[in-house]
Amino acid sequence: MPLKPLRLIAVGRLRTPHWIGAAEHYVTRISRWRQFIETDVRDGNASLPILARNAIEGKEILAALNPEDIPICLDEHGKSMTTETFASFLQRLSENASRRPCFIIGGAFGLAPDVLKAAAHVLALGPMTLPHELARVLLLEQIYRAESIIRGLPYHHA
């Protein structure tokens, strides 16, 4: 049985050329093994207060979710995993025949509380706050690394 696609919902498009190139590199590699769907939602109006901006972005994220998505939010306060544990986690989610893993990355000020409440899982890439463009590239690299581990390929050197 083919694996379900993976999905990423992210606030804002990548704008910095080196992050764009790095993200495209990993998406191309991931796409060799399974479909990878990216959905960008618009940044909230920068002139708004942070809470209002986050609320608007949150509504856009929630509107973009489909019933077949398993929402996995990235947040600095989420659960940290080793790469091997992340690979096992992704494999378990991928074996779900009816739903697909859907990673969610917020904008410059993180995710709205409503989005975090809707999450089936909340993961951290680490305890430090990261720019959302860098977080996106790090997530893509870790997905590629996890897919390599699942397939027994030599990319990961543990």
Side-chain angles (χ1 to χ4, degrees), residues 6 24-38 143-144 147:
L6 294 176
E24 288 173 351
H25 171 77
Y26 288 113
V27 169
T28 298
R29 287 177 162 221
I30 294 164
S31 297
R32 292 178 192 160
W33 296 315
R34 65 163 106 189
Q35 183 182 11
F36 189 81
I37 302 160
E38 290 183 274
I143 291 171
Y144 174 70
E147 293 285 341

Side-chain angles (χ1 to χ4, degrees), residues 70 79 81 84-97 101 121 150:
I70 302 169
K79 180 180 179 181
M81 296 183 179
E84 293 86 353
T85 303
F86 179 68
S88 296
F89 169 78
L90 187 58
Q91 186 169 20
R92 279 192 314 277
L93 289 180
S94 298
E95 291 168 352
N96 183 328
H121 305 278
I150 291 166

Side-chain angles (χ1 to χ4, degrees), residues 67-123:
E68 70 179 300
D69 292 327
I70 302 169
I72 307 162
C73 289
L74 278 285
D75 182 84
E76 66 191 55
H77 303 293
K79 180 180 179 181
S80 293
M81 296 183 179
T82 66
T83 299
E84 293 86 353
T85 303
F86 179 68
S88 296
F89 169 78
L90 187 58
Q91 186 169 20
R92 279 192 314 277
L93 289 180
S94 298
E95 291 168 352
N96 183 328
S98 63
R99 298 178 72 205
R100 67 180 173 206
C102 178
F103 296 94
I104 301 169
I105 297 176
F109 299 102
L111 292 166
D114 289 348
V115 176
L116 291 168
K117 285 179 192 165
H121 305 278
V122 181
L123 304 181

Side-chain angles (χ1 to χ4, degrees), residues 120-153:
H121 305 278
V122 181
L123 304 181
L125 293 172
M128 295 181 181
T129 301
L130 301 171
H132 58 283
E133 288 187 298
L134 176 58
R136 189 169 178 160
V137 172
L138 284 173
L139 173 64
L140 292 169
E141 191 281 336
Q142 285 298 295
I143 291 171
Y144 174 70
R145 187 175 292 272
E147 293 285 341
S148 297
I149 291 169
I150 291 166
R151 287 165 179 75
L153 299 174

